[in-house]
Amino acid sequence: MERLIAAFSDLTGTEGVIPLSLAYAVCIGSLLGFITVYAMFAIWMERKVAAHMQVRYGPMETGGWHGWAQSVADALKLLFKEDLFPRDGNKLLFFIAPAVVFCGVFAGFIAIPFAAGIQIADLDLGIFFIISIAAVEVVGVIMAGWASNSKYSLFGAVREAAQVVSYELPSATALLVPILVVGSFRLGDFNAYQAQHGWLIFSGPFMWIAALVYFIASLAGCKRAPFDLPEAESELVSGFHTEYSGMRFSFFFLEEYASMFVASILMATLFFGGTTLPFNLFDLGNWGDYADAGRLAAQAAAANAPADLVAQAARAAAAVGPFSDLGNILAAHLGIVVLLLKTFFFIFVQMWLRWTLPRLRVDQVMAMGYKYLLPWGLFAVMGTAVWETYAA
Amino acid sequence: MGSIRDYFANITGALTTTAKGMGVTLRHFTSEPPITVMYPHERKWVPPTTRGKHILEQDKCIDCHLCAKACPVDCIEIEAEHYGRILEWKQFSIDYKKCIFCEFCIPPCPVDCIHMTTEYEMATDRNDDMVEDLLTWTGLRPEDEAKITGEPTEFQKKQQADDGGKAGGKDKSALIAQIKARLGKG
Amino acid sequence: MIDFMFMLFAGITVLGALVMAFHESIVHSAFALVAALFGVAGLYWTLGADFLGGLQLLLYVGGVTVLLLFAVMLTTRDTMRLSLFRYVLMAPVVGIAGFFVLRAYNGVEAAIAATGHVPGDPQPTTQAIGEMFLAPDGYLLPFQTVAVLLLLVLIGAVTVARRGQETTP
């Protein structure tokens, strides 16, 4: 990101706000484009995966080869639908709700690294920020349910809020386990650690429990798979997005697939190596440079650091990224490909679970969250703390 | 409340049944080919006794209206003018919006001229297209006109030329005399 | 740049607070509270307290406001309109007086000066906070005391909630 700002600064010849806002505009715009294209692809993938698991074809006609253009056609159809509004609904809240829900998820993409230096913001608060921002979408859902002025919408929204809020606990607790091992919230540090020490899933017996707990809790947080009470209610009774039509409705859909992507990419980054291959073959993603830069920066930030150390740290930080030479560029892009492959594998597993398991009742959902996932998450945290202190 | 054993049994039960279910869906996904019949490109086999659209052997039909009377929903409309035994056809239509494909119209026909085929694809987007006229010709054919006017048809002219009007070239007058004698001239 | 962001978040906070205080509909007030708390989180970020801002989002926006919204939406009737115009003059007076009272307490300014914190150059605080909580000569004892207190609160809440269930078979 710094490189992009510097590049724009050189391009426009100014400093300060203009290259900053240009860089941000480019990054956010491309991320938004990526998310919408990804969502269309993910919906097509879901329909094909669902179909083949049910021994049938999915979309086959639209666009020729296996109906790849079906999502595009659906998006166009949604654009042309009539924009309904419930008669006594709350106009302002009704209009804001899809935006709040989508922004809540979209903001989580800011902290995710696709390779060293390819990140919108290398937040020190990385994963904690993602967890906090995911809490904002609950407010949007409640807003949507209330503004629809319909009992079923309200109850669907309340139930959904209860489910998501309850599952934030085991989700955050399970995420504590890799955080304990790596010792930092920064997502780049996870990649760098796994580049040096191998995938986190293989370090310690409690990682498997934590990974499983996090995966299940993230399914509930995305309102997916066996926990899709809010959506199923919309098939049977209603749900918080009943009164929405056309493009507003598609915002909720985008939000669901975007949060699936965030959950999968966190799963891939925190437990399964991120951009790295199993024995860190080829140093995909350039995390070696990143780790060195981080180490130097930590040394330079200590009080009374000598000036040349500070300068060296600054140079190392500037050198992180895919622009130094061809090897780095290739490593970065292959790293992104590997990361996306892992992410799509987890998205496939999420879809696989959706089309295998029946829906859980609301009391079963709550029981699972509090009685099964949370205790095992805490057990994994305590076990990892002991393991890290005495064994590793 | 439930005991500790139930708790762990729940966990193992959930994990094993989920794994079994996922195995089934994975098997469907990877090795079982889809069983869908891709409709516009392929069609499912229908048995030959399937009741579909009707066809009419118009030259056999004697305009008795038995099929129209047998129809439970009155969807057959027949109209023809009689010239002795010769029919001048106006209409023989079946309204497929009403037809319930029950096949009640087929058995009553005394000359077995109406049949049901296996054709079932009749979708259209206009109401009027659903009323099918089964006639092959309307009005009078040339041979019908010939029968009415008494003018010999092409075939009859050829016969005349061949054997003088006696079918097969045989002389039937002796046979006719025998029959008249047997019937006692009555 | 940071000044602009500070102004933006301060504006969101003040606007949210004004709407919350003066709007008739209680549900609109509740959602305006969400906006105000989000603005406070932004203020924390611009002042360099990044961990605190994240916690604000997680706990307040994600927890407290959800609870508040449940309570408001499931118990309100549309006729419940609040009229707070009596308090229009009193509220700002109390607020500003409170600000000066806090300023008069010498310890606050001295403590801020002692950290050597430069307002325009925020540093990550997570590690520092963590070390402070776990250092024996830091805040370890208060941290553990609060943890025990929370445990007591949790047990008490469950007990109170379960008491209502004893009557049902």
Side-chain angles (χ1 to χ4, degrees):
Chain A
M1 186 66 184
E2 272 81 26
R3 310 276 310 203
L4 201 60
I5 297 175
F8 271 114
S9 176
D10 293 336
L11 201 63
T12 57
T14 59
E15 289 284 339
V17 178
I18 296 183
L20 198 72
S21 33
L22 275 175
Y24 273 117
V26 164
C27 281
I28 305 273
S30 57
L31 191 65
L32 201 57
F34 170 70
I35 291 182
T36 34
V37 170
Y38 149 75
M40 285 209 259
F41 170 72
I43 294 176
W44 174 82
M45 180 176 155
E46 164 117 55
R47 291 174 71 165
K48 293 302 276 189
V49 164
H52 282 274
M53 286 186 176
Q54 295 170 339
V55 199
R56 59 181 175 90
Y57 296 104
M60 292 289 280
E61 297 286 319
T62 341
W65 181 78
H66 282 277
W68 63 268
Q70 182 69 44
S71 303
V72 179
D74 284 337
L76 280 176
K77 173 202 73 174
L78 281 172
L79 271 173
F80 285 118
K81 279 203 171 180
E82 180 188 355
D83 198 13
L84 293 171
F85 172 68
R87 180 158 45 127
D88 292 323
N90 199 321
K91 241 194 163 78
L92 180 69
L93 294 178
F94 192 80
F95 290 158
I96 293 181
V100 170
V101 161
F102 181 65
C103 290
V105 175
F106 184 57
F109 278 87
I110 291 176
I112 298 179
F114 291 95
I118 303 187
Q119 198 173 0
I120 295 190
D122 192 12
L123 294 179
D124 188 64
L125 263 191
I127 188 148
F128 188 70
F129 176 76
I130 297 180
I131 297 174
S132 325
I133 281 284
V136 173
E137 60 145 326
V138 181
V139 173
V141 165
I142 298 179
M143 221 189 266
W146 171 264
S148 301
N149 194 33
S150 149
K151 285 190 202 46
Y152 295 132
S153 294
L154 188 59
F155 287 149
V158 162
R159 244 191 228 194
E160 190 267 349
Q163 178 184 307
V164 172
V165 166
S166 310
Y167 277 84
E168 276 173 21
L169 282 167
S171 169
T173 312
L175 283 177
L176 263 183
V177 173
I179 292 174
L180 268 178
V181 172
V182 171
S184 156
F185 281 150
R186 233 185 249 261
L187 280 164
D189 285 346
F190 284 95
N191 279 300
Y193 182 92
Q194 289 180 94
Q196 277 188 305
H197 296 102
W199 287 5
L200 270 174
I201 192 92
F202 300 121
S203 78
F206 300 97
M207 280 295 179
W208 291 98
I209 304 177
L212 191 63
V213 168
Y214 174 68
F215 191 65
I216 299 175
S218 72
L219 280 179
C222 305
K223 307 177 279 296
R224 272 304 283 188
F227 306 100
D228 59 347
L229 260 176
E231 296 176 0
E233 297 272 286
S234 60
E235 288 165 40
L236 305 169
V237 182
S238 285
F240 62 94
H241 49 66
T242 293
E243 308 288 342
Y244 286 87
S245 63
M247 220 52 201
R248 294 187 202 289
F249 172 73
S250 67
F251 263 99
F252 289 110
F253 242 65
L254 260 178
E255 173 263 331
E256 178 184 331
Y257 285 94
S259 58
M260 271 171 74
F261 188 84
V262 171
S264 302
I265 208 170
L266 281 182
M267 188 81 181
T269 306
L270 267 69
F271 294 101
F272 285 94
T275 60
T276 60
L277 289 175
F279 296 101
N280 198 24
L281 302 168
F282 314 122
D283 189 26
L284 291 181
N286 301 321
W287 294 106
D289 298 337
Y290 179 89
D292 293 335
R295 194 172 34 84
L296 284 170
Q299 285 174 342
N304 306 318
D308 56 335
L309 189 62
V310 173
Q312 195 183 2
R315 271 202 308 278
V320 168
F323 306 110
S324 17
D325 59 43
L326 185 65
N328 270 5
I329 296 177
L330 211 57
H333 286 93
L334 282 178
I336 296 178
V337 167
V338 167
L339 179 64
L340 285 180
L341 279 175
K342 290 181 200 171
T343 308
F344 278 108
F345 171 70
F346 284 112
I347 292 179
F348 170 72
V349 174
Q350 289 184 328
M351 293 179 181
W352 187 6
L353 279 173
R354 176 179 183 179
W355 297 105
T356 308
L357 296 171
R359 196 169 290 133
L360 291 179
R361 275 197 324 262
V362 66
D363 64 316
Q364 290 170 334
V365 166
M366 291 296 150
M368 182 141 188
Y370 287 111
K371 288 202 234 171
Y372 289 88
L373 291 182
L374 186 60
W376 284 99
L378 289 171
F379 170 69
V381 170
M382 287 194 297
T384 310
V386 169
W387 175 269
E388 285 297 305
T389 315
Y390 296 113
Chain B
M1 222 2 225
S3 67
I4 304 280
R5 201 180 311 154
D6 282 348
Y7 182 85
F8 285 100
N10 275 345
I11 294 182
T12 48
L15 287 173
T16 50
T17 53
T18 308
K20 266 169 69 172
M22 285 172 84
V24 170
T25 34
L26 190 66
R27 184 168 44 87
H28 286 172
F29 185 72
T30 50
S31 51
E32 282 193 21
I35 56 178
T36 318
V37 174
M38 301 291 284
Y39 173 63
H41 312 297
E42 320 168 338
R43 279 171 182 64
K44 234 179 137 163
W45 175 81
V46 292
T49 51
T50 301
R51 302 194 287 272
K53 222 163 156 179
H54 303 77
I55 57 166
L56 175 73
E57 288 180 74
Q58 195 173 349
D59 48 353
K60 278 196 197 170
C61 181
I62 56 173
D63 192 37
C64 65
H65 289 239
L66 277 178
C67 51
K69 289 180 187 140
C71 180
V73 291
D74 291 330
C75 68
I76 306 185
E77 302 259 322
I78 310 178
E79 210 182 309
E81 254 192 56
H82 289 250
Y83 296 104
R85 289 239 179 121
I86 311 298
L87 293 171
E88 183 189 355
W89 277 102
K90 303 266 170 50
Q91 186 193 13
F92 190 120
S93 65
I94 298 187
D95 187 356
Y96 283 104
K97 293 197 295 290
K98 297 184 191 163
C99 177
I100 61 173
F101 299 94
C102 61
E103 224 184 16
F104 277 14
C105 49
I106 312 297
C109 182
V111 293
D112 193 23
C113 71
I114 189 169
H115 310 282
M116 271 186 124
T117 62
T118 57
E119 187 186 331
Y120 54 85
E121 290 165 320
M122 289 183 260
T124 173
D125 51 359
R126 297 177 58 229
N127 263 351
D128 303 333
D129 288 347
M130 291 295 279
V131 179
E132 288 275 343
D133 201 341
L134 297 177
L135 296 176
T136 320
W137 73 88
T138 51
L140 291 167
R141 285 177 303 179
E143 50 264 44
D144 298 326
E145 281 176 351
K147 280 195 201 141
I148 296 174
T149 56
E151 228 181 79
T153 61
E154 299 291 322
F155 179 65
Q156 284 168 340
K157 285 186 195 136
K158 197 163 144 304
Q159 262 190 333
Q160 208 82 14
D162 274 347
D163 55 12
K166 299 190 178 72
K170 283 196 206 138
D171 191 357
K172 281 210 183 118
S173 48
L175 187 62
I176 294 172
Q178 268 185 351
I179 296 172
K180 278 189 180 166
R182 198 179 53 199
L183 292 176
K185 277 205 181 184
Chain C
M1 185 67 196
I2 289 211
D3 290 340
F4 169 70
M5 297 305 288
F6 181 85
M7 288 298 167
L8 181 67
F9 282 117
I12 294 176
T13 312
V14 169
L15 197 64
L18 283 175
V19 171
M20 181 191 76
F22 293 124
H23 204 280
E24 300 177 319
S25 159
I26 201 166
V27 177
H28 276 117
S29 300
F31 285 113
L33 180 65
V34 173
L37 290 173
F38 183 76
V40 171
L43 287 176
Y44 281 136
W45 283 328
T46 51
L47 289 173
D50 54 351
F51 187 65
L52 206 54
L55 271 180
Q56 169 85 9
L57 268 187
L58 184 62
L59 297 178
Y60 275 94
V61 177
V64 170
T65 46
V66 169
L67 182 64
L68 199 67
L69 282 167
F70 275 26
V72 161
M73 282 189 321
L74 295 178
T75 59
T76 193
R77 285 154 25 132
D78 210 38
T79 55
M80 216 189 271
R81 257 66 170 124
L82 300 176
S83 164
L84 292 170
F85 284 110
R86 289 183 276 171
Y87 306 109
V88 162
L89 285 181
M90 213 159 80
V93 167
V94 170
I96 295 175
F99 171 70
F100 280 109
V101 163
L102 279 175
R103 269 208 85 191
Y105 175 55
N106 283 324
V108 174
E109 295 223 22
I112 294 176
T115 57
H117 177 65
V118 180
D121 181 27
Q123 293 296 322
T125 56
T126 314
Q127 189 157 1
I129 291 179
E131 282 172 0
M132 247 188 353
F133 271 149
L134 295 177
D137 56 341
Y139 292 92
L140 182 59
L141 183 60
F143 181 55
Q144 297 298 336
T145 315
V146 171
V148 170
L149 178 66
L150 276 175
L151 180 65
L152 289 175
V153 167
L154 210 59
I155 295 176
V158 169
T159 312
V160 167
R162 276 181 68 84
R163 201 175 297 158
Q165 282 187 8
E166 278 169 15
T167 51
T168 59

